[in-house]
Amino acid sequence: MTFDVAAVRAQFPVLARTMNGRPLVYLDSANTSQKPSVVLDAMHRFASTSYAPINRSAYQLAVEATDAFEGARAAVARFVNARRPSEIAFVKNATEALNLVAHTWGRANLHEGDVIVLTHLEHHANIVPWHMLAAERGITIRWVPLTADGQLDLTDLDHLLDGAKLFGFSAMSNVLGTITPVDELCRRAHDAGALAVVDACQYAPHQPTDVQAWGADFTAFSAHKMCGPSGIGALWGRQELLEAIPPFLGGGNMIADVRLDGFTPAPPPAKFEAGTPPIIEAIGFGAAVEFLEGLGMDAVRAHEERLARYTLDTLARRFGDDIRIHGPVDVKRRGATFSFAFRDVHPHDLSQVLDQHNVCVRAGHHCAKPLMKLLGVSATARASCYVYNDTSDVDALADALDGVSDIFAP
Amino acid sequence: MPGLDDLYREIILDHYRSPRNRGELPSPPAAHAVGHNPLCGDEIEVFLQVDGDVVRDIKVAGQGCSISQSSASMMSQAVKGKSVDEVRALTRRFKGMMSIDENPDDPARPGDADVKLGDLEALQGVVKFPVRIKCATLSWNTLLDALRQPDTAG
């Protein structure tokens, strides 16, 4: 399948914007992605014609709204190949999804002395909820180390998983772009009797995601990183797990019955959706996954693999040893997200200079401070690509990097 | 858009390349405080030797961008030998320049405007880059933390 980047780019209104007479070079999609017109239009159209409460009113408008909301859930379920829509719980974002797992499954199943396993690649969202639980429950966290090129070092995995109740890991690193062998990790978690929790926040936007083929137990992802709106994400969980674990937040919509002496939770997914959800955002989420399906996730992956190759080649050719790109060099094992060090220039200063050329990159610790410590830095600059980026964006980054040396030359 | 020349003045780059009072002091007796910029992961350590009412010595460690490092370097030069009251006044003046006026613990006082900033005025351009204000004030907040420690009652 061919991938016409110019045609894709034309569907993102913000990318037509110029600043100081020059185009925007948006290379911060690992942070959050831009939104195509079809998503913005779907949200506007729904809010303009069909907006109403969902799941609680009998009038026609509310029925329409509920149908649209559940249609979005079905679209998201299809996008990750869930067995059924009820396996998708809408949450605020991947962070909330992982907190949900820690709060519900974790509290119901983890007790003092229990062990869980995480990796050195994790985002704070898949670390801090477990630290919080560890402080409360006295559980132990073991960490899967990394190889020199930023892949998971699985040498001692069986030993690490021995006796563990849960294995939580990122499918793609938000810092290094590393893609992990999710199906193998799920299998080895299960072989050890542990639950497999996949943080797919960086993975799902960029390649086909199949939770059944993975054999995962829980998978978390956010709409805003995949052309959808902020404020909504999804937790996918195996139906029987979602049925077994306790609810998360309490309130309206998540109950089957409430009495003066207690309550009975609703079945999933309502059980995890207390209060009025982000309805308009759900419509946008549904439109976003349909937009991505229209592009074809295999084609998206192929496009980004080409872009990753071009980026690695271009930066190495133009800057040689002056640039150090963290993470895997094999484009089959990484996405088009690049954390890098440039000469001795601090990432904050780097991004300030790049901003003069409208090149948007993130500078900082990327919510992965343990990984930063491992890399021996306090921060990195990170350029990350998506469906609307092409080689001209990479060239613009390289041109802007040329200007950095002038200012900070000793 | 404000130009980079407003931000990266020569004196700032000079302090960045050759930071003054870099290092550590034995603590105790020196007060020691660590400051973090949660936004970017930068970390600054301030070691402060206060004898009586006077800052006898100060050392700065840690890592950060040109703005946080140069601000720390200039700060260390500016406060050395000053009384604790003078250091507080200078801090208020500097934060005022960074357009951080409200400090409930230590509100602005009438004489603050007369405090001389010297080289520190070079950091004035940072105000035009709001994201960087935290970089410039990191070392000053860490200095205040060090001053708050019991041994440096001042």
Side-chain angles (χ1 to χ4, degrees), chain B residues 21-22 25 46-49 55-60 72 75-77 79-80 143:
Chain B
N21 298 305
R22 190 83 190 153
L25 293 173
V46 171
F47 297 84
L48 198 64
Q49 184 64 52
V55 174
R56 283 283 169 230
D57 203 0
I58 178 170
K59 293 282 187 196
V60 179
M75 174 193 81
S76 70
Q77 275 193 320
V79 304
K80 208 163 166 177
L143 174 72

Side-chain angles (χ1 to χ4, degrees), chain A residues 19-20 344-346 348-350 352-353 355-356 358 362-365 369 376-379 407-410, chain B residues 1-4 7-8 13 16-17 36-43 63-67 129 131-132 135:
Chain A
M19 291 174 109
N20 307 306
D344 287 330
V345 183
H346 190 279
H348 248 185
D349 294 317
L350 199 60
Q352 193 84 62
V353 179
D355 182 46
Q356 297 289 309
N358 291 345
R362 175 157 176 196
H365 55 60
K369 288 190 84 171
V377 297
S378 65
I407 293 173
F408 294 95
Chain B
M1 189 193 290
L4 287 185
L7 188 62
Y8 296 121
L13 293 172
Y16 178 47
R17 293 180 195 124
H36 297 272
N37 183 345
L39 201 69
C40 61
D42 285 356
E43 192 175 289
Q63 51 190 331
C65 65
S66 60
I67 301 303
F129 299 83
V131 176
R132 306 304 290 278
C135 309

Side-chain angles (χ1 to χ4, degrees), chain A residues 202-399:
Chain A
Q202 296 285 338
Y203 185 102
H206 301 290
Q207 49 249 300
T209 299
D210 186 333
V211 293
Q212 292 190 63
W214 280 349
D217 294 302
F218 289 111
T219 296
F221 50 106
S222 291
H224 74 93
K225 291 200 204 295
M226 44 201 292
C227 300
S230 54
I232 190 162
L235 173 69
W236 169 83
R238 281 196 292 113
Q239 182 77 25
E240 52 275 31
L241 270 172
L242 293 179
E243 280 167 12
I245 61 178
F248 182 38
L249 302 174
N253 195 56
M254 53 74 69
I255 48 87
D257 184 32
V258 180
R259 306 165 303 276
L260 289 180
D261 66 348
F263 75 100
T264 308
K271 181 181 181 178
F272 305 105
E273 295 177 354
T276 295
I279 304 171
I280 300 170
E281 287 77 3
I283 304 307
F285 196 178
V289 297
E290 282 170 2
F291 169 77
L292 289 172
E293 282 171 338
L295 298 180
M297 290 310 292
D298 282 319
V300 168
R301 170 62 191 162
H303 161 70
E304 292 184 15
E305 212 171 291
R306 280 193 300 273
L307 211 46
R309 167 53 57 209
Y310 183 83
T311 306
L312 292 171
D313 288 350
T314 300
L315 295 178
R317 180 171 47 80
R318 290 186 58 170
F319 302 107
D321 290 342
D322 280 348
I323 198 162
R324 183 183 162 213
I325 299 175
H326 301 289
V329 289
D330 179 357
V331 293
K332 296 282 177 202
R333 292 172 183 271
R334 63 141 56 239
T337 291
F338 308 93
S339 274
F340 60 94
F342 188 74
R343 301 197 178 105
D344 287 330
V345 183
H346 190 279
H348 248 185
D349 294 317
L350 199 60
S351 75
Q352 193 84 62
V353 179
L354 298 184
D355 182 46
Q356 297 289 309
H357 302 264
N358 291 345
V359 174
C360 312
V361 301
R362 175 157 176 196
H365 55 60
H366 316 293
C367 302
K369 288 190 84 171
L371 177 53
M372 291 289 115
K373 195 167 182 187
L374 201 69
L375 296 174
V377 297
S378 65
T380 70
R382 181 187 67 187
S384 50
C385 302
Y386 201 19
V387 291
Y388 35 70
N389 293 115
D390 64 13
T391 53
S392 73
D393 294 315
V394 178
D395 292 338
L397 168 66
D399 291 346

Side-chain angles (χ1 to χ4, degrees), chain A residues 79-92:
Chain A
F79 186 77
V80 297
N81 195 30
R83 283 177 198 83
R84 57 191 81 135
S86 61
E87 289 187 330
I88 294 291
F90 282 135
V91 291
K92 193 165 66 181

